[in-house]
C-alpha cells in the first residue's frame, strides 16, 4: 500500500467515525429529549411576562410568541423528525428489497421493473414532476 492510499483510507475512516458519532448523539437526543427539555414544549412557561424572551439561563433558546420554551420545542421536533426519517428509510429499504426479490425470482416481472426504471431515467425529473402535478391538479 502506498503512502497516498494509506492517507486516503485514514481520511475515509475518520469521516466514518465522525458520522457515527453524530448519529449516536442524534439518537441519544431522541431517546432522552423528554428528560433534557426543561419545560413542556406545548404549554406556555409564563404568561405574566412579555412573550418573546431572549435566551437566558432558564430558557437557553428563549421563548416564542406564545411564551413556549424554544429549546423544548426544538428537542421534541428533532425527535419527531428523526423518527419520521428512520421510518421512511426502513420502508424504502423494505420496498426496494421486495421489488429486487421479485425481479430476481420472476423473469417477466424483472423485465417489466427494468423497463419502468429505464422509463423513469429517460424522462427528465422536471418534466415528470410537471406531469404528476398536472394529473394531480
Amino acid at each position: 500500500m502506498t503512502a497516498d492510499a494509506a492517507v486516503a483510507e485514514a481520511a475515509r475512516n475518520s469521516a466514518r467515525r465522525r458520522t457515527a458519532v453524530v448519529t449516536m448523539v442524534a439518537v441519544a437526543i431522541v431517546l432522552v429529549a423528554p428528560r433534557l427539555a426543561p419545560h413542556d414544549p406545548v404549554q406556555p412557561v409564563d404568561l405574566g411576562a412579555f412573550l418573546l424572551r431572549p435566551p437566558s439561563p432558564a430558557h437557553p433558546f428563549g421563548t416564542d410568541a406564545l411564551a413556549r420554551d424554544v429549546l423544548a420545542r426544538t428537542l421534541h421536533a428533532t425527535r419527531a423528525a428523526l423518527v419520521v426519517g428512520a421510518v421512511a428509510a426502513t420502508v424504502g429499504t423494505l420496498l426496494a428489497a421486495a421489488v429486487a426479490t421479485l425481479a430476481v425470482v420472476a423473469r417477466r416481472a424483472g423485465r417489466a421493473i427494468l423497463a419502468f426504471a429505464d422509463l423513469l431515467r429517460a424522462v427528465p425529473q422536471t418534466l415528470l414532476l410537471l406531469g404528476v402535478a398536472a394529473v394531480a391538479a
Side-chain angles (χ1 to χ4, degrees):
M1 178 182 291
T2 65
D4 290 338
V7 169
E9 185 172 340
R12 280 193 300 273
N13 288 339
S14 175
R16 286 185 191 130
R17 273 191 236 98
R18 278 184 293 208
T19 302
V21 167
V22 168
T23 302
M24 288 188 305
V25 167
V27 168
I29 288 173
V30 165
L31 294 176
V32 297
R35 291 182 188 95
L36 285 177
H39 303 283
D40 185 7
V42 180
Q43 295 298 320
V45 289
D46 184 13
L47 292 176
F50 63 95
L51 301 178
L52 289 171
R53 289 185 181 176
S56 67
H59 306 285
F61 288 4
T63 61
D64 64 2
L66 298 176
R68 298 173 297 194
D69 186 54
V70 177
L71 174 61
R73 295 181 63 76
T74 302
L75 288 174
H76 283 274
T78 301
R79 183 178 189 184
L82 288 175
V83 168
V84 167
V87 168
T90 302
V91 168
T93 301
L94 292 175
L95 284 175
V99 169
T101 302
L102 179 67
V104 169
V105 172
R107 287 193 176 252
R108 283 189 179 168
R111 288 188 193 126
I113 291 168
L114 281 175
F116 182 69
D118 288 340
L119 176 71
L120 287 179
R121 283 187 295 187
V123 177
Q125 289 181 350
T126 306
L127 289 177
L128 180 64
L129 290 174
L130 286 173
V132 168
V135 170

